Amino acid sequence: MFVGHFAVGLAGKRAAPRVSLGTWFLAVQFLDLLWPVFLLLDWEHVRVTPGYTRLSPLDFYDYPLSHSLLAAVFWSALFAAVWAVLRRGRPGRLRIGLLLGAGVLSHWVLDFLTHRPDLPLLPKMGPYAGLGLWDHPALAIALEGGLYALGIFLYVRSTRARDTAGRAGLWALLLLLLGLWLASAFGPPPEEDTPIAWATLSLWLVVFPWAGWVDRHREIGP
Ligand SMILES: [Zn+2]
């Protein structure tokens, strides 16, 4: 899943409006931020097998540290705890920390819908879970596209642009994510291991600051 994760981040802004969209995106994509790092460290592995699922050629045969359920719970708790510590003394920090932690965990739940049963509940030993929606392209695209549209609607309803950057910057970012999603679904399969890791990592290094920048050019309110 790709834009579906960002949809949760966009919707999160409504639940906790004082949290930047950049932070929300970081939370919902935290597991996919760790993943390329772990690939580069050779701690996790992926291979490209065209036709592996009808929508994605990525065979995630080994990603216990970023994508097992136990690890996802751990990263969620860590994210919530770090947030609560960094925001010491501010009202609502526990509630917001828990919301962000839930955002981290939502990543696993959405991946569970689309992936083949390749998500281990426990690292290295399974059992493995996944409903495999990627083998039902029309359903997968309708669900994910619908989630994305809903997320955008909620974000745009709960913030308003202060200036052109807040308006054009937002739509440019949303279109970029949409384009990347469609390219990954309908474009040629990516190259093996390392380019995937670098591409994913460099993408995140652009997306999170961009979302934070857009968010600073918008204010809370309809
Ligand atoms: Zn993922």
Side-chain angles (χ1 to χ4, degrees), residues 14-194:
R14 196 182 178 93
R18 273 180 296 163
V19 177
S20 165
L21 185 64
T23 307
W24 268 114
F25 276 6
L26 183 65
V28 297
Q29 283 292 52
F30 195 62
L31 305 186
D32 274 4
L33 175 67
L34 296 173
W35 178 65
V37 176
F38 293 164
L39 286 179
L40 292 171
L41 290 169
D42 208 25
W43 292 352
E44 299 196 330
H45 306 90
V46 65
R47 70 187 150 226
V48 178
T49 308
Y52 178 68
T53 71
R54 290 178 67 192
L55 265 186
S56 164
L58 297 180
D59 175 3
F60 302 98
Y61 67 97
D62 181 40
Y63 56 169
L65 301 174
S66 64
H67 279 73
S68 68
L69 178 58
L70 186 67
V73 169
F74 169 78
W75 297 121
S76 307
L78 186 71
F79 201 101
V82 168
W83 175 270
V85 168
L86 290 178
R87 299 287 144 143
R88 211 173 9 226
R90 302 213 195 162
R93 70 196 170 99
L94 284 179
R95 188 185 75 88
I96 295 171
L98 286 174
L99 282 171
L100 286 167
V104 175
L105 197 59
S106 77
H107 184 103
W108 194 93
V109 176
L110 291 181
D111 276 0
F112 166 74
L113 297 179
T114 52
H115 286 219
R116 283 230 173 141
D118 59 21
L119 290 154
L121 300 188
L122 297 173
K124 295 285 185 192
M125 56 178 93
Y128 292 83
L131 294 183
L133 266 188
W134 271 339
D135 278 324
H136 307 274
L139 199 59
I141 288 174
L143 174 78
E144 189 163 2
L147 278 177
Y148 194 45
L150 181 64
I152 293 171
F153 174 76
L154 290 173
Y155 181 78
V156 169
R157 282 287 297 262
S158 33
T159 62
R160 62 172 164 248
R162 267 192 237 273
D163 49 28
T164 315
R167 192 173 308 110
L170 172 68
W171 291 106
L173 175 61
L174 295 174
L175 281 175
L176 170 78
L177 295 173
L178 182 69
L180 288 168
W181 175 53
L182 294 175
S184 73
F186 300 109
E191 287 167 46
E192 279 295 344
D193 252 50
T194 314

